[in-house]
Amino acid sequence: MKEIRFIYHPDNALEKAGRSAEPLHGEAERTCPNCHVTMKESAFRNSNWTCRCGYHFRLGARERITMIADRKSFQELFQDIVSTDPLSFPSYEEKLRKAQAISGEKESAITGLCTIGGFDAAIFAMDPNFMMGSMGAACGEKISRLFEYASEHCLPVVGFTVSGGARMQEGLLSLMQMAKTSGAVKRHSSKGLLYITVLTDPTTGGVTASFAMEGDIILAEPGATIGFAGARVIEQTTRQPLPKGFQTSESLLSHGFVDAIVPRSEMKAAISSLLRMHRRAI
Amino acid sequence: MDAYERVRIARKTDRPTAADYIGSCFSSFFELHGDRRYRDDRAIIGGIAMLEDMPVTVIGIEKGHTAAERVEHSFGAPEPEGYRKALRLMKEAAKFQRPIITFVDTSGAYCGIGAEERGQGSAIAENLMEMMDLPVPVIAVLIGEGGSGGALALATANRVWMLENSVYSVISPEGCASILYKDASLADAAAENLRLTAQDAYSFGICERIIPEDDIGSPSFYKKLSSELYSEMQKLLQIEDIKEDRYQRFRAFGSGVAI
């Protein structure tokens, strides 16, 4: 397996906000945060937002679903569930409004139904542009309801994770979502139903330690950062240099925590194939 | 008392640790070791004991008192093997229809290279999922620090009790301050905002009972706690569907966010 270690540049405004640059001459351009090549946005879009160097751009939740779901098959569920500010946490409401404006979404996860290669599935995708996909009560509620819906209707669940973890502005209520969603996953699993997770960059903290790692099949995009504790925190705590490729998809594959690394261009085919092979023989 | 003062008390090294509770609230404790996968993580201690006339499985996150003990128990920060050991003991309890009592006291799951490589996130996730499915009643008692997912991995219980000065939080106040205010010294403000005290948790329904600390560590303290655990366990044993009880307990958190 070729090792790809991408360096995330927090000062790269393009990548951070996931927005395109202002068009200078006609069409907008984007720069790959990994190899720094600059290309027209349409060129990246036409290659599923992957660069020639292998870098996978972060994707908004809706773009992700568009890429995976059969055309016009996506039907959104639970879209009215939005975050509240249960602790009256200073400046949280302002952050929520900003996140909604940047992402164009009401919450950090989108949930619904679709077909993938003709197979029915419940689907969720998290949005890195919404407070880095952090999980608060609304996100946990949507994920839990989706699993409950899928259990009731005997549907597989396909989920794309990207998250900085539990949303600290909701305190303990966000921590409780880890147990709540895990309970819903377990009930779905106990009914003999399939759950495929796709870990994308970055999947960390409380989401890694709950529904991201609870799939029957766990896929990952190449070069994604996947872990529980943050790399910087580990480095500061242990005062040891981190091994090469630490907390990457490739490292998780070799340590046995990921089933396969699937490039974005092959993702839909891989998921369709898995859905087909998990149909009941009897 | 402000929230950060509670955090300081919760972290005091002279507070009773899980081993003290296990030794004083139960009798005939028989310790069981290892995760049957790789090793025995001493940050978690557990085994079978008698709660009055009732055999129970007890599991605790142990911090230790002396410097040597604290090193032996990794300062109460479990690695993946610790969580897998706890799960193995819980599954053994389920097989023999034995109720489970856990004592939670951790600043968080162990933060290290090896812990990540051996699947810290995966180990916690598996505990959350499997604890939801336990066919026996579970009571979790937070005795000191309830640090995030590392604590929840032993607290996905039917009832959660907290010592008066214990704390339970999604992130440490220092971590929260360094992320939000770029200054860990503002931890006291973060502690206040995070609403991490037992009284806060009680107000959200995240803990069902607050245990007073007036006589903490005394024989009467343990005796009272022991008899409360016994009578609560008797009540839980009457519940027909204990899994449903546990599921609904957690299902309720944040279910009111829909508009």
Side-chain angles (χ1 to χ4, degrees), chain B residues 43 57 146 159 168 182 215-216:
Chain B
T57 284
R159 299 292 179 269
Y168 197 6
K182 316 284 175 218
D215 56 348
I216 188 169

PDB file of all heavy atoms in Angstrom, chain B residues 43 57 146 159 168 182 215-216:
ATOM      1  N   ALA B  43      -5.099  -0.280  34.883  1.00  0.00           N
ATOM      2  CA  ALA B  43      -5.926   0.912  35.096  1.00  0.00           C
ATOM      3  C   ALA B  43      -7.361   0.490  35.400  1.00  0.00           C
ATOM      4  O   ALA B  43      -8.146   1.263  35.940  1.00  0.00           O
ATOM      5  CB  ALA B  43      -5.886   1.818  33.873  1.00  0.00           C
ATOM      6  N   THR B  57     -20.787  -8.501  39.643  1.00  0.00           N
ATOM      7  CA  THR B  57     -19.494  -8.220  39.030  1.00  0.00           C
ATOM      8  C   THR B  57     -19.182  -6.754  39.300  1.00  0.00           C
ATOM      9  O   THR B  57     -20.045  -5.897  39.089  1.00  0.00           O
ATOM     10  CB  THR B  57     -19.548  -8.517  37.520  1.00  0.00           C
ATOM     11  OG1 THR B  57     -19.508  -9.935  37.345  1.00  0.00           O
ATOM     12  CG2 THR B  57     -18.352  -7.903  36.778  1.00  0.00           C
ATOM     13  N   GLY B 146     -14.979  12.009  35.820  1.00  0.00           N
ATOM     14  CA  GLY B 146     -15.654  11.304  34.736  1.00  0.00           C
ATOM     15  C   GLY B 146     -15.198  11.935  33.436  1.00  0.00           C
ATOM     16  O   GLY B 146     -15.836  12.842  32.913  1.00  0.00           O
ATOM     17  N   ARG B 159     -28.471   3.013  35.792  1.00  0.00           N
ATOM     18  CA  ARG B 159     -28.482   4.123  36.747  1.00  0.00           C
ATOM     19  C   ARG B 159     -27.057   4.648  36.890  1.00  0.00           C
ATOM     20  O   ARG B 159     -26.113   3.865  36.947  1.00  0.00           O
ATOM     21  CB  ARG B 159     -28.975   3.670  38.131  1.00  0.00           C
ATOM     22  CG  ARG B 159     -30.407   3.124  38.155  1.00  0.00           C
ATOM     23  CD  ARG B 159     -31.460   4.200  37.887  1.00  0.00           C
ATOM     24  NE  ARG B 159     -32.798   3.617  37.888  1.00  0.00           N
ATOM     25  CZ  ARG B 159     -33.410   3.147  36.783  1.00  0.00           C
ATOM     26  NH1 ARG B 159     -32.798   3.180  35.608  1.00  0.00           N
ATOM     27  NH2 ARG B 159     -34.626   2.629  36.853  1.00  0.00           N
ATOM     28  N   TYR B 168     -18.215  15.212  35.713  1.00  0.00           N
ATOM     29  CA  TYR B 168     -18.447  14.384  34.532  1.00  0.00           C
ATOM     30  C   TYR B 168     -18.472  15.363  33.360  1.00  0.00           C
ATOM     31  O   TYR B 168     -19.254  16.310  33.355  1.00  0.00           O
ATOM     32  CB  TYR B 168     -19.799  13.687  34.687  1.00  0.00           C
ATOM     33  CG  TYR B 168     -20.074  12.498  33.789  1.00  0.00           C
ATOM     34  CD1 TYR B 168     -19.099  11.963  32.939  1.00  0.00           C
ATOM     35  CD2 TYR B 168     -21.329  11.871  33.818  1.00  0.00           C
ATOM     36  CE1 TYR B 168     -19.385  10.855  32.147  1.00  0.00           C
ATOM     37  CE2 TYR B 168     -21.611  10.765  33.025  1.00  0.00           C
ATOM     38  CZ  TYR B 168     -20.641  10.259  32.197  1.00  0.00           C
ATOM     39  OH  TYR B 168     -20.924   9.172  31.415  1.00  0.00           O
ATOM     40  N   LYS B 182      -7.708  29.416  23.717  1.00  0.00           N
ATOM     41  CA  LYS B 182      -6.259  29.303  23.455  1.00  0.00           C
ATOM     42  C   LYS B 182      -5.451  29.566  24.720  1.00  0.00           C
ATOM     43  O   LYS B 182      -4.353  30.113  24.674  1.00  0.00           O
ATOM     44  CB  LYS B 182      -5.808  30.276  22.348  1.00  0.00           C
ATOM     45  CG  LYS B 182      -6.721  30.336  21.132  1.00  0.00           C
ATOM     46  CD  LYS B 182      -6.563  29.132  20.234  1.00  0.00           C
ATOM     47  CE  LYS B 182      -7.570  29.155  19.090  1.00  0.00           C
ATOM     48  NZ  LYS B 182      -8.104  27.848  18.755  1.00  0.00           N
ATOM     49  N   ASP B 215     -19.172  12.186  55.155  1.00  0.00           N
ATOM     50  CA  ASP B 215     -18.362  11.195  55.885  1.00  0.00           C
ATOM     51  C   ASP B 215     -17.615  10.283  54.916  1.00  0.00           C
ATOM     52  O   ASP B 215     -17.420   9.098  55.172  1.00  0.00           O
ATOM     53  CB  ASP B 215     -19.269  10.377  56.811  1.00  0.00           C
ATOM     54  CG  ASP B 215     -20.414   9.708  56.057  1.00  0.00           C
ATOM     55  OD1 ASP B 215     -20.633  10.069  54.863  1.00  0.00           O
ATOM     56  OD2 ASP B 215     -21.077   8.824  56.617  1.00  0.00           O
ATOM     57  N   ILE B 216     -17.196  10.844  53.780  1.00  0.00           N
ATOM     58  CA  ILE B 216     -16.555  10.043  52.740  1.00  0.00           C
ATOM     59  C   ILE B 216     -15.360   9.257  53.304  1.00  0.00           C
ATOM     60  O   ILE B 216     -14.550   9.793  54.064  1.00  0.00           O
ATOM     61  CB  ILE B 216     -16.126  10.921  51.528  1.00  0.00           C
ATOM     62  CG1 ILE B 216     -15.641  10.053  50.371  1.00  0.00           C
ATOM     63  CG2 ILE B 216     -15.074  11.956  51.921  1.00  0.00           C
ATOM     64  CD1 ILE B 216     -15.448  10.805  49.062  1.00  0.00           C
TER      65      ILE B 216
END
